[in-house]
Amino acid sequence: MSLENKNHQLLSKIATNDKHGENSPYFDGWKAYESNPFHPTKNPQGVIQMGLAENQLCFDLIEEWIRNNPKASICTPEGVNEFRHIANFQDYHGLPEFRNAVANFMSKVRGGRVRFDPDRILMSGGATGANELIMFCLADPGDAFLVPSPYYPAFVRDLCWRTGVQLIPVQCHSSNNFKITREALEEAHKKAQEENINVKGLIITNPSNPLGTTLEKDTLKSIVSFINENNIHLVCDEIYSGTVFNTPTYVSVAEVIQEMEECKKDLIHIIYSLSKDMGLPGFRVGLVYSYNDEVVNCGRKMSSFGLVSSQTQHFLAAMLSDDIFVDKFLEESSRRLRERREFFTKGLEKVNITCLPSNAGLFFWMNLRGLLKEKTFEGEMKLWRLIINEVKLNVSPGSAFNCSEPGWYRVCFANMDHETVEIALRRIRAFVNGREKGKTVEIKRWKSNLRLSFSSRRFDENVMSPHMMSPHSPMPHSPLVRAT
Amino acid sequence: MGLEIEQEHPCVELSNIATSETHGENSPYFAGWKAYDENPYHEITNPSGVIQMGLAENQVSFDLLEKYLEEHSEASTWGKGGSSFRDNALFQDYHGLKSFRKAMASFMEKIRGNKAKFDYERIVLTAGATAANELLTFILANPGDALLVPTPYYPGFDRDLRWRTGVNIIPIHCDSSNNFQITLEALETAYKNAESMNMKVKAVLITNPSNPLGISIQRSVLEDILNFVTRKNIHLVSDEIYSGSVFSSHEFISIAEILESRQYKDAERCHIVYSLSKDLGLPGFRVGTIYSYNDKVVTTARRMSSFTLISSQTQHLLASMLSDESFTDNYIKVNRERLRKRYEMIIEGLKSAGIECLKGNAGLFCWMNMSPMLESNTREGELKLWNEILNEVKLNISPGCSCHCSEPGWFRVCFANMSEETLELALKRIRDFMNNKDRKDIGI
């Protein structure tokens, strides 16, 4: 039933602009992966997906818990007596036991150094929904939020698309390991004000995506002072807070404001989700935690547009209030992430590839500046295409994250098994060695123009496979199957 | 804690959206809920509490769902093999689980007695119809534009269609003179009304079957509406959330059927909203869909659905359930029958209390006419009576003014969110109330 799309139907400006962000190179690499996905036995020469920040290292722990806790599901004989009540429950406050469990979990992730009030927890459709929701609450169309770069590419969609808010990057540089400086914040803020742009707040991601670093306490305090003095909001996306695997110990904004009495708490808001820490992106569990009563009030009403399925709330309430499980999970997940990162980065060091020192996240920030033929963003893209086409790895180029310097790439390491990591390393080694020896690398012409802009094609999803249009699609036939 | 100066208002303003009242929660629709929350009826622990009749929920068929779950353990696991849980937990593709979309398309076809076909590739998933309606509005209209909506309408539309989108609702007035049917005249008047306020009309949004009226729209009216939107070159959104709650299967006509009969000419202006919250009684699961005949809308809606995807865990469960044809066939039939029985029970009960209702054929509520009881034929009169019913009769019903009804005296009364016994009790209370009123009238 394919109908002729007569173009006289006018859609809204939002519907017809580009702010959905799907024309960014962040998603282009996926196309190469989609058309040739790696599989250990069926397609060992395929592209390895390293552009997807997923945590697949601890499913075994969760699966074990599920087997031992049939009551957590409303579909099992043990749990079906709750079905009626749960299926009917659409209160936007959320199941009390769910909020309690999440507050407890968030506290544990922060080593018990801070407690969270379950009544300040708002639900939304993943962190994607949460980030958009908080913008709707804090800013009007045309207002701006400062955001340190490099930053998560989909922020453009999440924070700006339907809200009409604009992002003002605060550039950070490798000279000081991309630290956010007071000077940079002040400068960006001042410049915006001179251009008559109304800055409503600052949004930071801590731990950082794509850097994988956590903010030092002093930096965080300085940030809090900055927003406090300038009377603007601070949104802290702490979606990776449970993926910290090394020192320095994680410091959340929640801890810092405990120590800073002069800080106006009404300005502080935390975004969280279970998509990264627990590896459950499919369950769409996003939260806004606000210290501002009005935001909680209005945000709660807004959460109607993206409530968490009560089935999922019920399941997670049980799992996250199991203290023994949670403690074991957090510890084991940390350990596996740390080992994985170390293995990978050590392997890279053998071919003189360094990465930004990092202690968190599902990725590391790889420095390939030495391999760039020209130290420009064109050079970065050229090298990126080589990596995709020849090395057959989908990594994400720094420019997609609005990085100020060319030559950096984000490499995800937690969405594959160990054997695949070894294969990836082998390929990188071969590539680097080949390049050093001055081997000319053949690039098939038809693949060189990877920078496809979707607007150059008909909006016809039958032309491309459904997954290509989606920025978040793990494939059913993913290369995550354990190598046999 | 040091010298803290209490700030009356937060020192930094929130957005206009945050501080506006467009969320609509200060309407009487929600005020009655408060009274209920503070004093909820319970058969044993609080038999004189407020009975909730303002909540359009379907609780009459849970046993069918529970039975299904008990008999199909595969719905509780994630399928064979250890990796299935993993795949499901990772699945965040905004296209949605294919098996689920196929099951939804099939279910939507069955509800319409297979008189229309649905292509699962045109189904976009959202977390509830609440999100679907808002999302469509974002796509079809710009801030300041207008949607035409027939009155009386679901109070939640004020929030869903207007709050964050900045779009306006212009009412298409309907009244009891013709059983609240939508007329061409009313459509034209609403359109002109919008124009006179310098608003660009972008769409007509109908709910079919109607909430709060509880009737399905007649074929000729649907044809008229479709012709109207075509003439004006605007969109048509048909919220068919109650399509599975029609008491008699052959009485419901979906816009999908009309489009099919026209060989889909001009269909790209049409979009259907559906959800499992009413027909299957699963509001907690947040399952909404947009079915659009417009490719661009499908693509854009899909992208936007990133903000409001359905939990993959829930998609998996429902894919299983809804692709079980013997289950769905039986469910649709039995559910329909039970709703019809409830409806007849409440209509009879109200009749014996001297209250007339609009003749309905669908939904989880009836549209009750209490205008003869009003002290004054005004909104105030209606609210006064409503308050009396809430505080003295201890029934939370929805006053017509909260549904933007232009005629005072009508109330929406839900009947499917309680047991039969509770419904009997509610009817008894109403009878007593009416008897007392009579006695007062004749001075006893």
Side-chain angles (χ1 to χ4, degrees), chain A residues 343 416-427 429:
Chain A
F343 179 76
M416 61 192 70
D417 62 25
H418 186 84
E419 289 71 18
T420 309
V421 177
E422 289 190 320
I423 293 171
L425 280 172
R426 248 180 272 142
R427 288 184 187 179
R429 277 199 289 271

Side-chain angles (χ1 to χ4, degrees), chain B residues 143-300:
Chain B
D145 288 347
L147 301 187
L148 307 183
V149 183
T151 66
Y153 62 77
Y154 165 54
F157 276 163
D158 287 331
R159 173 196 61 192
D160 300 350
L161 307 178
R162 302 183 319 158
W163 191 20
R164 305 192 303 181
T165 60
V167 172
N168 300 301
I169 294 177
I170 299 294
I172 301 166
H173 288 296
C174 303
D175 59 62
S176 59
S177 61
N178 69 342
N179 288 328
F180 294 94
Q181 281 182 87
I182 303 161
T183 63
L184 267 175
E185 202 184 294
L187 283 163
E188 289 284 0
T189 304
Y191 191 90
K192 285 199 183 75
N193 199 1
E195 279 192 315
S196 73
M197 290 191 269
N198 275 322
M199 291 181 198
K200 273 184 108 184
V201 176
K202 281 313 187 56
V204 170
L205 188 146
I206 58 176
T207 307
N208 179 28
S210 161
N211 173 11
L213 301 175
I215 33 176
S216 56
I217 302 181
Q218 290 182 19
R219 181 183 291 272
S220 57
V221 178
L222 284 175
E223 301 266 12
D224 281 347
I225 295 172
L226 191 49
N227 293 338
F228 176 80
V229 300
T230 307
R231 252 194 340 268
K232 302 290 190 192
N233 196 16
I234 58 180
H235 294 272
L236 174 61
V237 177
S238 181
D239 186 343
E240 303 191 348
I241 193 175
Y242 291 100
S243 45
S245 304
V246 187
F247 311 144
S248 168
S249 62
H250 53 266
E251 288 188 21
F252 173 60
I253 296 156
S254 162
I255 195 73
E257 288 175 55
I258 311 273
L259 291 173
E260 229 179 82
S261 71
R262 295 183 181 200
Q263 279 91 49
Y264 299 106
K265 185 171 181 302
D266 278 323
E268 330 72 79
R269 63 181 75 255
C270 298
H271 324 278
I272 297 175
V273 170
Y274 186 57
S275 157
L276 298 181
S277 299
K278 309 297 177 183
D279 293 346
L280 278 184
L282 306 173
F285 287 4
R286 313 317 300 145
V287 181
T289 74
I290 295 170
Y291 187 92
S292 176
Y293 296 88
N294 182 316
D295 292 349
K296 183 84 200 279
V297 172
V298 171
T299 306
T300 309

Side-chain angles (χ1 to χ4, degrees), chain A residues 12-13 22 63 84 87-89 92 136-137 140 231 264 267 282 294 305 309-312 461 466-467 469, chain B residues 10-12 15-16 25 57 59 66 82 89 91 93-95 138-139 142 284 302-303 308 311-314:
Chain A
S12 67
K13 295 188 184 107
E22 285 188 17
E63 283 159 357
R84 200 176 279 240
N88 212 39
F89 187 90
Y92 59 27
F136 269 124
C137 289
D140 293 318
N231 247 337
K264 293 174 278 246
L267 298 175
E294 235 186 283
F305 298 111
S309 166
S310 54
Q311 176 193 18
T312 301
E461 294 201 21
H467 298 297
M469 298 296 283
Chain B
C11 28
V12 187
S15 66
N16 292 331
E25 283 192 20
E57 276 179 357
Q59 297 191 20
E66 285 159 348
F91 188 87
D93 181 346
Y94 61 30
H95 288 76
F138 268 121
I139 289 177
N142 292 311
R302 205 167 262 150
R303 288 189 175 133
T308 184
S311 168
S312 54
Q313 181 187 27
T314 301

Side-chain angles (χ1 to χ4, degrees), chain B residues 15-28:
Chain B
S15 66
N16 292 331
I17 287 175
T19 45
S20 83
E21 298 258 299
T22 318
H23 50 73
E25 283 192 20
N26 299 336
S27 122

Side-chain angles (χ1 to χ4, degrees), chain A residues 387-418:
Chain A
I387 296 174
I388 303 251
N389 292 332
E390 293 308 318
V391 195
K392 303 251 184 25
L393 301 178
N394 178 31
V395 298
S396 312
S399 51
F401 298 85
N402 220 297
C403 186
S404 56
E405 301 166 22
W408 294 88
Y409 300 79
R410 188 191 75 172
V411 181
C412 298
F413 56 71
N415 63 318
M416 61 192 70
D417 62 25
H418 186 84

Side-chain angles (χ1 to χ4, degrees), chain B residues 25-96:
Chain B
E25 283 192 20
N26 299 336
S27 122
Y29 183 68
F30 297 108
W33 296 31
K34 204 162 160 288
Y36 167 77
D37 282 337
E38 287 163 8
N39 182 21
Y41 167 81
H42 188 277
E43 221 173 348
I44 299 163
T45 58
N46 191 17
S48 57
V50 176
I51 297 178
Q52 173 64 289
M53 305 188 88
L55 191 46
E57 276 179 357
N58 180 359
Q59 297 191 20
V60 307
S61 301
F62 275 131
D63 59 314
L64 301 178
L65 297 166
E66 285 159 348
K67 183 159 177 287
Y68 173 86
L69 290 173
E70 280 158 15
E71 292 171 3
H72 294 85
S73 62
E74 74 276 10
S76 71
T77 61
W78 273 273
K80 305 187 198 82
S83 64
S84 294
F85 169 77
R86 170 198 299 251
D87 286 345
N88 183 260
L90 288 172
F91 188 87
Q92 56 172 327
D93 181 346
Y94 61 30
H95 288 76

